Amino acid sequence: MGVSVVRIRVLVVDDHRIFAESLAAALAAEPDVDVAAAGSGPAALRCLERAAAEGRGYDVMLVDAELGILAPAGGHRAAGPVAVPAPRAGGSGPGDGISLVAGVRADRPSVRTVVLAEKDDPRRAALALQAGACGWVAKDCSLQRLLAVIRGVLRDETHLPAALLTGVLRELLADRKHRSESEELVESLTPRECEVLRCMVAGLGRKAVAERLFLSPHTVRTHMQNVLGKLGVHSTLAAVALARRAGVGPADPVAPQEPGLAGDVVERGSQLA
């Protein structure tokens, strides 16, 4: 009887079709690797869902760092950090590489993700690790190097190029400092102001916040002004960004209620009705 080989299932996600197909073909030549390719974030999510439904989920996902970032007329993609939005239930799926990593990490934590990059970028590599990536690898690395990373992340290893390590650590430490400062500012808020801030993070306007918290719009306006003042910012967008950095999530969705059952005690301004 022959010895059974444990096969590694790999999904390559890259919107450069020639690169994706070439890489998939090279990996498929390995005796212990099964591989498929997807050309976008939504397509990758469909592949993951289909494979999971068939009971043969992917082990590793290789994701283009610049996935979905369109190149301008000069042919070069835009540089700079990309925000990592929280996954949205029922949406079409994340479009850029790092957002895809975050979405897969949240929905399918057993899938290890490795980011493939055209150039070393400490800031984006740090963002990728924060989003849940297990590695950052140059696109022009050797096949043997890539296979070593794939097998390494399956052993719960994290892989970064040595030249990036110092820069990534600096970015992570700076982010931790900013997060700590943001957390201290959020802790200065009263419980009611924290409720208002969570509503702001959820994207609710003043009227919607008033209806949700059973407050008058004038009282909500005062609370919002107090929140901005204590956080040291001048706009709702800045307050939301700071709150996200501090780990403040959006207010939970309001469950539908029958008429007349919204609550027995209603606060209007500083008075109880």
Side-chain angles (χ1 to χ4, degrees):
M1 295 178 62
V3 178
S4 61
V5 177
V6 177
R7 304 188 69 80
I8 303 171
R9 289 180 50 77
V10 178
L11 178 62
V12 177
V13 188
D14 196 301
D15 50 10
H16 285 73
R17 181 176 176 179
I18 294 177
F19 175 83
E21 292 180 351
S22 299
L23 179 56
L27 291 171
E30 295 296 311
D32 62 340
V33 177
D34 290 330
V35 62
S40 67
L45 294 180
R46 289 194 295 271
C47 287
L48 292 170
E49 291 171 2
R50 184 166 56 250
E54 295 172 354
R56 52 187 188 92
Y58 289 96
D59 302 302
V60 179
M61 185 174 68
L62 306 178
V63 185
D64 177 18
E66 309 297 334
L67 180 71
I69 300 178
L70 298 179
H76 298 286
R77 284 166 161 172
V82 174
V84 180
R88 294 180 298 172
S92 61
D96 68 84
I98 295 179
S99 293
L100 176 61
V101 170
V104 171
R105 176 65 177 173
D107 295 336
R108 304 187 186 279
S110 63
V111 179
R112 271 69 164 187
T113 56
V114 174
V115 176
L116 305 176
E118 294 180 359
K119 62 179 181 179
D120 286 345
D121 184 333
R123 177 57 180 158
R124 287 184 60 74
L127 285 172
L129 293 180
Q130 289 174 316
C134 300
W136 176 281
V137 182
K139 278 190 170 185
D140 59 359
C141 75
S142 69
L143 179 61
Q144 292 309 308
R145 165 63 179 161
L146 182 57
L147 287 167
V149 171
I150 290 172
R151 295 188 170 103
V153 299
L154 288 175
R155 296 191 297 267
D156 292 327
E157 298 173 358
T158 299
H159 285 257
L160 278 175
L164 266 184
L165 187 57
T166 299
V168 168
L169 288 175
R170 186 182 298 116
E171 292 289 345
L172 293 175
L173 289 173
D175 184 75
R176 179 178 296 178
K177 178 183 177 182
H178 293 153
R179 185 181 298 115
S180 298
E181 293 171 349
S182 300
E183 289 171 351
E184 290 178 3
L185 291 171
V186 169
E187 287 173 359
S188 71
L189 303 179
T190 66
R192 176 62 88 186
E193 289 165 352
C194 284
E195 287 184 295
V196 170
L197 178 59
R198 292 185 66 216
C199 290
M200 293 164 67
V201 172
L204 302 180
R206 190 188 309 167
K207 182 178 179 182
V209 175
E211 292 175 352
R212 180 187 178 88
L213 300 181
F214 307 113
L215 299 172
S216 71
H218 175 74
T219 300
V220 170
R221 181 173 180 273
T222 299
H223 282 314
M224 286 183 166
Q225 289 177 336
N226 290 340
V227 168
L228 297 184
K230 289 183 178 181
L231 297 184
V233 296
H234 302 286
S235 70
T236 297
L237 287 177
V240 169
L242 187 150
R244 283 292 197 184
R245 247 189 343 260
V248 177
D252 296 328
V254 179
Q257 295 177 312
E258 297 179 13
L261 298 181
D264 296 325
V265 179
V266 178
E267 184 180 351
R268 297 191 180 93
S270 59
Q271 302 296 321
L272 291 178

